[in-house]
Coordinates of all heavy atoms in Angstrom, one line a residue:
Chain A
I254 N -7.7 13.3 17.6 CA -9.0 13.3 18.4 C -10.0 12.3 17.9 O -10.6 11.6 18.7 CB -9.5 14.8 18.3 CG1 -8.6 15.7 19.1 CG2 -10.9 14.8 19.0 CD1 -8.9 17.2 18.9
I255 N -10.0 12.1 16.6 CA -10.9 11.1 16.0 C -10.6 9.8 16.5 O -11.4 9.0 16.9 CB -10.8 11.1 14.4 CG1 -11.4 12.4 13.9 CG2 -11.5 9.9 13.8 CD1 -11.2 12.6 12.4
Y256 N -9.3 9.5 16.6 CA -8.9 8.2 17.1 C -9.2 8.0 18.6 O -9.7 7.0 19.0 CB -7.3 7.9 16.9 CG -6.9 6.6 17.4 CD1 -7.4 5.4 16.8 CD2 -6.1 6.5 18.5 CE1 -7.0 4.2 17.3 CE2 -5.7 5.2 19.0 CZ -6.2 4.1 18.4 OH -5.8 2.9 18.9
K257 N -9.0 9.1 19.4 CA -9.3 9.0 20.8 C -10.7 8.7 21.0 O -11.1 7.9 21.9 CB -8.8 10.3 21.5 CG -7.3 10.4 21.7 CD -7.0 11.7 22.4 CE -5.5 11.8 22.7 NZ -5.2 13.1 23.3
Q258 N -11.6 9.4 20.3 CA -13.0 9.2 20.5 C -13.5 7.8 20.0 O -14.3 7.2 20.6 CB -13.8 10.3 19.7 CG -13.6 11.7 20.1 CD -13.6 11.9 21.6 OE1 -14.5 11.4 22.3 NE2 -12.7 12.6 22.2
Y259 N -12.8 7.3 19.0 CA -13.1 6.0 18.5 C -12.7 4.9 19.6 O -13.5 4.0 19.9 CB -12.3 5.7 17.2 CG -12.1 4.2 16.9 CD1 -13.1 3.5 16.4 CD2 -10.9 3.6 17.1 CE1 -13.0 2.1 16.1 CE2 -10.7 2.3 16.8 CZ -11.7 1.5 16.3 OH -11.5 0.2 16.0
Q260 N -11.5 5.1 20.2 CA -11.0 4.2 21.2 C -11.9 4.2 22.4 O -12.2 3.2 23.1 CB -9.6 4.7 21.7 CG -8.5 3.8 21.3 CD -7.3 4.2 22.0 OE1 -7.1 5.4 22.4 NE2 -6.3 3.3 22.1
A261 N -12.5 5.4 22.7 CA -13.4 5.5 23.9 C -14.8 5.0 23.6 O -15.6 5.0 24.5 CB -13.5 7.0 24.3
G262 N -15.0 4.6 22.4 CA -16.3 4.0 22.0 C -17.3 5.0 21.6 O -18.5 4.7 21.4
F263 N -16.9 6.3 21.4 CA -17.9 7.3 21.0 C -17.9 7.3 19.4 O -17.3 8.2 18.8 CB -17.5 8.7 21.5 CG -17.6 8.7 23.0 CD1 -16.5 9.2 23.7 CD2 -18.7 8.4 23.7 CE1 -16.5 9.3 25.1 CE2 -18.8 8.4 25.1 CZ -17.7 8.9 25.8
Y264 N -18.5 6.3 18.8 CA -18.4 6.2 17.4 C -19.1 7.3 16.6 O -18.6 7.8 15.6 CB -19.0 4.8 16.9 CG -18.2 3.7 17.5 CD1 -18.9 2.6 18.1 CD2 -16.8 3.6 17.5 CE1 -18.2 1.6 18.7 CE2 -16.1 2.6 18.0 CZ -16.8 1.6 18.6 OH -16.2 0.5 19.2
G265 N -20.2 7.8 17.1 CA -20.9 8.9 16.5 C -20.1 10.2 16.5 O -19.9 10.8 15.5
L266 N -19.5 10.4 17.7 CA -18.7 11.6 17.9 C -17.4 11.5 17.0 O -17.0 12.5 16.4 CB -18.3 11.8 19.4 CG -17.7 13.1 19.8 CD1 -18.6 14.2 19.5 CD2 -17.3 13.0 21.3
S267 N -16.8 10.4 17.0 CA -15.6 10.1 16.2 C -15.9 10.4 14.7 O -15.2 11.1 14.0 CB -15.1 8.7 16.4 OG -14.1 8.4 15.5
T268 N -17.1 9.9 14.3 CA -17.5 10.1 12.9 C -17.8 11.6 12.6 O -17.4 12.1 11.5 CB -18.7 9.2 12.5 OG1 -18.4 7.9 12.9 CG2 -19.0 9.3 11.1
A269 N -18.3 12.3 13.6 CA -18.6 13.7 13.4 C -17.2 14.4 13.2 O -17.1 15.3 12.4 CB -19.3 14.3 14.6

Side-chain angles (χ1 to χ4, degrees):
Chain A
I254 292 170
I255 291 170
Y256 180 67
K257 283 181 179 174
Q258 299 311 319
Y259 159 76
Q260 248 189 341
F263 299 126
Y264 297 131
L266 191 59
S267 173
T268 307

